[in-house]
Amino acid sequence: MKIIVIGAGMVGASLTWELTQAGHSVTLLEAGEAGKGTSANSFAWINSHGKPPEAYQRLNAAGMQAHSELAARLGKAPWLNLTGCLEWRAADQQQAMQDNVEQLQQYQYPAEWISAEQLQALEPEIHLDGTQGAIGWFPSEGWIDTQQYIQLLLQASAAEGAKIVTGSRVNEILQEGNTVTGVKTSDGTLHRAELTINASGRWSDKSPYNDGLATRLAPTTGILIRVPAEYAPVSHVLATPLFHCRPDGEGVTLLCPNEGVYDIDESTPASRVSELAADIIRKATAVWPKLSELKPEQYQARMGIRALPEDGYPIVGPTEGLAGYYTVVTHSGVTLSPLLARLVTREIAGTPVAELEAYRPSRLSQPKP
Ligand SMILES: Cc1cc2nc3c(=O)[nH]c(=O)nc-3n(C[C@H](O)[C@H](O)[C@H](O)COP(=O)(O)OP(=O)(O)OC[C@H]3O[C@@H](n4cnc5c(N)ncnc54)[C@H](O)[C@@H]3O)c2cc1C
C-alpha cells in the first residue's frame, strides 16, 4: 500500500520503519528536521509505573519490551540505555508510592524496595540527607537517546526503499468526498496515497488538520536542563521528589523538574525559564553539593511541550466516516513508539488490534464544552 506519514519524531520514524518492513511504500514528510520536535525535548524515560489503569500500564510495559525486541531485530540499539530507575518521594507521597509498588508487583512488573545503603552503592556520588523514606528500584527501566533512535530507523527505512522528505511541511490534506487521497506540501507538490497518517505530535490539532481530522490535545510544558556530569554524576534514571534526572550521553546529566513544580507554558519567556532552571539547580545542590559551583554559562535549559491528548491517553486509529486517514498521537511516545508502530502496521494489514480499542479518536470527538 502507498502510505504517507506526516511527522518524523519518535512516532513517525517508528511507523516508517515498521510499515516499510511490512512491504508498504512509505513517504515520510517532515516540516523541519527529523527528530527535532518534542522528541528532542523529552526526558525519554522508558517506564511503566504510575500509569493507571491496568490496560495502560500493560501497554507501556509492552512498549518497553518492544524496545528490546526492536534491538534484537536490528542487531544493535545504541539508543537503548537500560540503566534501571531509582525512586523516592516526599513524605506526603509515601502511601501513594507504597500503593504503586504493590500494584506493580501484582502485575509482575519488576519493582522492589531497596535500602539507602543499596542506593548509595548504585549511586555513590549522590548525597542523601536521611529524609528520603522508602526507595523503589525498577530494574527494567531506562532511557532512550531519541536522536540516535530516529536517525538510525530512518536510515534503515531509506535503505529499504522509504522516501524521507525533510523541510517539507504538509499544508493541505487532500480529500475526495469521504476519502483522504493524499497531501499537498509547502513547495506545492501533491503526494497521493491510499493511507495518510497523522504522526504530527503536538501539531496534530493545528492546520492543516481541520475539524474532522484534528486531535484533541491539552499540552503541558516541561523544563529540561543539561549540566556537565562532573557536577551531578548519575548512572541510572532517578525520580526524586523535586526532579527527575539521568545521564544524557557522554559527560552530561539531564535534569527535569517534576510536572507541577513550576507553572509554565509555551508563552513563558526564555529569561523566566533560565530563572527556574537556576532555582532547580540550587535545590539540587542538596543531592550534589558540587552543583553550587556551577556557573550559568555551563548549563542549558530549554522547554519541551507534551503532545498530551485531552484525557492523557494515546489517540490511535482511523477517523469514523473517513477512509484513507489514520492518527497516531500520544504522550509517553518514547516508551510506546515501537509497540504502537507494530500494532498499527498489523491493523493496517486488516487485523483489528484489541489493545488499541480504548484509544480510538472517536472517544474525544464530542464538541468542546
Ligand atoms: C518535558 C517532556 C518530558 C517527557 N518525558 C517522557 C518520558 O520520560 N517518557 C516518554 O515515553 N515520553 C516522554 N515525553 C513524551 C514524548 O517525548 C512524546 O510523546 C514523543 O516525543 C512524541 O513523539 P512524536 O513523534 O509524536 O512527536 P514529535 O517528536 O514532536 O514529532 C512530530 C513531528 O511532526 C512534524 N510536523 C508537525 N506538523 C507537520 C506538518 N504539517 N507537516 C510536516 N511535518 C509536521 C514536526 O516538525 C515534528 O518533527 C516527554 C515529553 C516532554 C515534553
Side-chain angles (χ1 to χ4, degrees):
M1 191 189 297
K2 225 172 156 189
I3 300 176
I4 291 169
V5 176
I6 311 173
M10 284 295 295
V11 171
S14 306
L15 284 167
T16 299
W17 189 77
E18 207 56 74
L19 291 164
T20 303
Q21 287 294 303
H24 297 289
S25 166
V26 182
T27 300
L28 172 65
L29 299 170
E30 165 56 49
E33 279 179 67
K36 299 302 179 198
T38 300
S39 300
N41 298 305
S42 174
F43 187 64
W45 168 23
I46 54 167
N47 77 90
S48 184
H49 73 263
K51 297 194 177 183
E54 182 176 352
Y56 188 57
Q57 191 279 332
R58 291 199 186 279
L59 191 79
N60 279 269
M64 295 163 66
Q65 181 63 29
H67 270 285
S68 295
E69 288 162 5
L70 179 62
R73 282 163 75 193
L74 284 163
K76 60 177 178 187
W79 60 76
L80 182 60
N81 302 282
L82 295 177
T83 57
C85 167
L86 294 152
E87 179 182 7
W88 64 97
R89 295 197 194 177
D92 64 350
Q93 286 293 311
Q94 291 299 311
Q95 188 58 50
M97 175 144 167
Q98 184 84 34
D99 294 347
N100 185 36
V101 169
E102 278 171 16
Q103 180 108 84
L104 291 171
Q105 287 171 339
Q106 279 171 20
Y107 297 159
Q108 316 295 326
Y109 182 84
E112 53 195 88
W113 299 110
I114 62 167
S115 65
E117 291 71 30
Q118 287 170 301
L119 168 62
Q120 288 289 193
L122 290 167
E123 288 290 356
E125 303 285 345
I126 66 169
H127 175 81
L128 293 176
D129 64 5
T131 63
Q132 69 283 338
I135 299 161
W137 168 234
F138 305 91
S140 61
E141 299 179 1
W143 62 277
I144 297 296
D145 184 325
T146 59
Q147 301 304 292
Q148 286 203 46
Y149 178 97
I150 291 165
Q151 293 307 330
L152 276 156
L153 282 197
L154 293 187
Q155 277 166 17
S157 304
E160 301 207 13
K163 200 169 156 200
I164 317 290
V165 189
T166 56
S168 183
R169 185 178 189 279
V170 170
N171 278 350
E172 197 180 331
I173 308 288
L174 306 174
Q175 258 178 269
E176 285 171 23
N178 288 336
T179 302
V180 169
T181 57
V183 303
K184 186 175 179 181
T185 48
S186 41
D187 62 359
T189 307
L190 299 182
H191 298 264
R192 299 282 176 189
E194 291 153 270
L195 185 69
T196 297
I197 305 183
N198 176 353
S200 301
R202 74 181 184 89
W203 295 274
S204 60
D205 62 346
K206 302 191 167 38
S207 173
Y209 304 107
N210 64 26
D211 277 354
L213 306 173
T215 57
R216 295 272 297 270
L217 302 182
T220 58
T221 305
I223 302 177
L224 300 139
I225 312 160
R226 299 186 89 230
V227 305
E230 61 183 286
Y231 291 89
V234 65
S235 48
H236 303 81
V237 178
L238 300 192
T240 82
L242 199 59
F243 58 84
H244 292 74
C245 68
R246 62 164 173 81
D248 196 23
E250 196 71 15
V252 178
T253 293
L254 185 70
L255 296 178
C256 182
N258 295 348
E259 238 176 300
V261 169
Y262 299 122
D263 190 15
I264 56 167
D265 61 29
E266 216 173 331
S267 66
T268 304
S271 56
R272 178 71 184 139
V273 174
S274 302
E275 274 171 30
L276 298 175
D279 185 56
I280 206 81
I281 286 174
R282 201 161 39 247
K283 289 171 176 157
T285 56
V287 177
W288 297 281
K290 197 169 181 236
L291 271 180
S292 60
E293 298 164 26
L294 189 69
K295 298 187 174 48
E297 58 274 20
Q298 289 177 287
Y299 61 86
Q300 299 107 33
R302 61 190 197 279
M303 283 197 287
I305 297 157
R306 298 178 180 87
L308 192 65
E310 270 183 359
D311 63 0
Y313 296 107
I315 306 175
V316 184
T319 294
E320 273 174 19
L322 194 64
Y325 185 72
Y326 199 99
T327 300
V328 188
V329 172
T330 188
H331 183 53
S332 287
V334 177
T335 304
L336 291 172
S337 283
L339 175 71
L340 290 182
R342 210 163 67 190
L343 299 180
V344 167
T345 300
R346 201 183 303 161
E347 187 154 273
I348 286 169
T351 313
V353 175
E355 294 100 303
L356 297 178
E357 279 310 320
Y359 307 116
R360 298 308 187 193
S362 55
R363 77 181 192 279
L364 297 171
S365 63
Q366 285 76 32
K368 280 190 188 183

